[in-house]
Amino acid sequence: MDERTYTADATPDDTVTVAGWVHELRDLGGIAFLIVRDTTGKIQVKLEKDEMDEELVETGLDVTRESVVKIVGDVKEEPRAPTDVEIVPTAIEVVAEAETQLPLDPSGKVDAELPTRLDNRTLDVRRGESKAIFEIRSTVLRAVREAFRSFGASEITTPKIVATGTEGGTELFPITYFGEEAFMNQSPQLFKQLMVGSGLERVFEVGPIFRAEEHNTPRHLNEATSIDFESAFFDHTEAMDVCEAIVKAAYEAVAENCTDELETLGIDDFEVPDEAFPRLTYEEAIERINATGELDEQLVWGDDLPTEGEHALGQAVGEHYFITDWPAEIKPFYIKDHDDDETLSTGFDMMHPRMELVSGGQREHRFDQLVEGFEQQGLDPEEFDYYTKMFKYGMPPHAGWAIGGERLIATMLGLDNIREAVLFPRDRQRLSP
Ligand code: AMO
């Protein structure tokens, strides 16, 4: 578009062309104000009914809210205007007219339910709060990429259509691939491991994962964004160190670059975690959960940690904490057990009081033990031949993890529902848009 000026850059005494959406029309009688909004903010456009060209005033008064307009005019200082400047227009062009009946009110004056907002995301993300979440999401994704690069990791992208799943057979979405059954990938797990044995050694991926989980909760999606990391010659403690650094880098970037967005969201106590994240063993975790007395039944070794238990523990331990040394039997086959105690896994989770954020661990890199693990988990190692055979050609010890991107953002911003952090959520009710 020719010489467009963002509303935030409109400087007194300049003649500008601004383009954006009609946020509001305030008609005060002899004078009216058109508030025009673009991605940088809003600006007031003054319409003086008796003093300006009649046709111009009429166009300004007739234009419907949320229509796209192009305004040419002179910028004047005006202390009474919300941004201290206003435009005195010489031309108003309606570029794309909006219908008068809108499915939701982008000015935010009238609240809309989440399903209505999700059905009309374009209009919803015109609202300041919603836009702020996605600006922050974009900052988080950039920050984690930069932080991974500072650790010498290379960004990879791996297939999302696969022949076999990894994280449990019941949670796979089947698809037809040229007449054959295939699946949407649940995790880049096996591919990222294959790459630590390549010349890349240390890799990360930010991409979608697909889980056919029946859960319909504020923290589950059927398509989520996984932030994956894997490094050769790392053990689980080194993997946890990087995990902690990446989460802190995301918080730091938001604190540094998103002050306006945080203000829009009403968050005035945003804190970058500065302490080391506590690391509790699974055994300590169940003891401490039991000691809270919050559960009806005491937990015993081998139990998964129930959400209420994780919640109670979070209140006691802090906002982010790791749980390590899980019973080997409840962690997946690709996680290595401790060398000195095979009942204990090197797997870890990183928790937030509201939900699990990360799973990871050191991996089984020894061919025979890996194949045995497949069998123990009821998976046919032959089906995973493309993966296991690479463990015969020099696979270094390695470790890694995955953070749920939406969970990171939802917990960071205190969003009630993870769906707030994804533009077009996929869940039991939602396949479109
Ligand atoms: P896991 O299955 O625990 O581990 O997933 C890793 C993280 O991804 C997020 N997540 C989800 N977020 C929203 N909706 C879902 N349905 C969902 N499922 C998972 C969570 C979770 O902690 N391969 C391992 C990771 C590894 O070991 O590297 C894996 O996928 O935040």
Side-chain angles (χ1 to χ4, degrees), residues 4 32 45 61-62 114 149 174-175 185 206 226 251 296 299 312 318 400 404:
R4 177 187 173 208
V45 179
L61 292 177
D62 283 353
L114 186 60
R149 297 290 306 176
I175 59 164
N185 203 9
V206 179
S226 186
Y251 273 79
D296 297 340
L299 294 172

Side-chain angles (χ1 to χ4, degrees), residues 207-223:
I209 55 169
F210 304 90
R211 306 276 170 114
E213 290 165 359
E214 301 280 325
H215 311 284
N216 198 2
T217 77
R219 60 202 161 87
H220 285 97
L221 293 166
N222 295 106
E223 177 176 349

